[in-house]
Amino acid sequence: MKSAYRHLLGLFSMIALGVSGSTPAEPAVASGTGAVSHEAPPAMATVSHLHDFQVVELRRYTTTHGGRARFADYFDTYFPEAFEQLGAMVFGQFLPREHPDQFVWLRGFHDMPARPVVNSQFYYGPLWREHRLKVNALLPDSDNVLLLRPLRPDTGVDVLPAVDPVDEPHGAQGIVVMQIFAVKKGDEDVLATHAEAQFESYRVAGVHPAGILVTLDEPNNFPQLPVRMDGPWLVWLGVVRDEATLRKQLQPAMQAAAKTLLASGMLRAAPELLAMDPTPRSRLRWLPDAGEAAR
């Protein structure tokens, strides 16, 4: 009787844990948009449940002079998992090379209705209440925020596995690059088509495309956090393996694309290029396996 009881208990435990006696299905991996691939490397399969983030905030903070490293430490320590537990995603956080008092990060929500829910839970919750005074003291300006969406379902921001403290003892590596285009209103669709053609030249060894985003034309449904209303915008996002690849291959291609698109007359200003170092715990970083799942 006891043996039968133990057998039943074991079956119930397996069901509760989602285990069956059959051969497990091949793991699928999803990008930040919900696109699923069954050919992804095993490391990417660990984030297959983290997908379909249709609302993206590009947040560019100004820190106090000399205070960026301290703010980055606070951010890495306290915030990424807090948002993930609430159903949002911190895609990555970065230190712009040419702006020593700037900190950039990308936050994703599944949809617009989720945005005020998650933000309310976080900013009125215990974690933020505990740390907000020392964090806000380092942030004279946190209002430079673009509200964006994927250009298409397959161009959302890639969700990479969290940094592994054992296999990546030196933290996130590589260089994260953004190219930001100020588009003339009414030319969004045509400009996007021309831009994507130019972006093909960015597909070189040592560069992983990580997303193409455009302005999400929706009212700000969490007004406690301002967003910019001076769009529209288009943003290309990628990760570069090393300095040589950035200087010798990607930057020349980006400069040529910027010149071509500016000459089209569909931009309000010259494109902005940001080369950034990921913080030690940034998900978005150079991860060789991610290239096998890159679009």
Side-chain angles (χ1 to χ4, degrees):
M1 190 70 178
K2 289 183 179 179
S3 176
Y5 174 77
R6 285 195 298 268
H7 179 69
L8 286 173
L9 184 61
L11 287 176
F12 290 146
S13 298
M14 292 171 69
I15 293 170
L17 292 171
V19 179
S20 70
S22 60
T23 303
E26 181 182 2
V29 59
S31 74
T33 65
V36 178
S37 167
H38 292 278
E39 302 299 329
M44 295 297 295
T46 64
V47 293
S48 62
H49 61 295
L50 300 174
H51 61 90
D52 197 29
F53 297 99
Q54 297 302 309
V55 177
V56 180
E57 294 175 348
L58 169 52
R59 309 189 66 85
R60 301 175 65 178
Y61 291 171
T62 299
T63 64
T64 56
H65 184 62
R68 183 172 75 173
R70 186 179 182 89
F71 175 80
D73 284 344
Y74 285 146
F75 191 101
D76 269 12
T77 300
Y78 298 125
F79 300 144
E81 286 79 12
F83 281 109
E84 184 178 338
Q85 289 291 338
L86 296 174
M89 173 54 57
V90 176
F91 297 109
Q93 53 273 11
F94 324 107
L95 309 178
R97 292 180 164 191
E98 296 186 5
H99 305 281
D101 296 330
Q102 279 192 12
F103 179 93
V104 176
W105 63 293
L106 289 160
R107 175 166 62 190
F109 305 92
H110 288 299
D111 51 35
M112 280 298 283
R115 183 172 176 265
V117 174
V118 170
N119 283 335
S120 294
Q121 290 175 328
F122 178 81
Y123 290 105
Y124 298 115
L127 183 73
W128 180 245
R129 288 183 63 184
E130 179 179 356
H131 301 292
R132 64 182 178 181
L133 292 179
K134 58 188 175 185
V135 170
N136 280 335
L138 297 168
L139 289 181
D141 182 9
S142 58
D143 294 347
N144 186 354
V145 179
L146 301 184
L147 188 61
L148 305 167
R149 63 171 176 83
L151 174 62
R152 294 190 313 276
D154 63 335
T155 69
V157 182
D158 286 343
V159 179
L160 300 188
V163 173
D164 190 314
V166 176
D167 292 337
E168 299 175 89
H170 301 294
Q173 301 296 303
I175 306 163
V176 175
V177 179
M178 287 183 188
Q179 194 170 27
I180 304 173
F181 300 86
V183 186
K184 287 184 179 178
K185 196 166 184 63
D187 288 333
E188 297 94 326
D189 292 342
V190 177
L191 187 280
T193 299
H194 284 279
E196 283 201 276
Q198 294 296 318
F199 296 159
E200 288 299 312
S201 65
Y202 302 179
R203 293 179 178 274
V204 297
V207 176
H208 292 168
I212 303 174
L213 307 170
V214 294
T215 294
L216 175 58
D217 192 12
E218 295 279 353
N220 182 4
N221 60 359
F222 193 75
Q224 297 92 323
L225 298 180
V227 297
R228 291 174 60 173
M229 305 300 293
D230 57 343
W233 305 90
L234 184 146
V235 178
W236 181 89
L237 179 66
V239 185
V240 185
R241 178 177 53 206
D242 51 38
E243 190 72 30
T245 304
L246 175 65
R247 286 198 329 268
K248 297 179 180 179
Q249 298 188 67
L250 184 59
Q251 278 187 337
M254 298 183 96
Q255 290 165 357
K259 182 177 180 180
T260 298
L261 294 173
L262 189 59
S264 72
M266 292 183 285
L267 298 181
R268 293 177 279 122
E272 182 181 8
L273 175 61
L274 289 178
M276 305 177 291
D277 296 310
T279 68
R281 297 195 64 231
S282 173
R283 282 181 180 267
L284 198 58
R285 65 202 187 277
W286 179 258
L287 193 65
D289 281 353
E292 298 176 36
R295 59 185 58 82

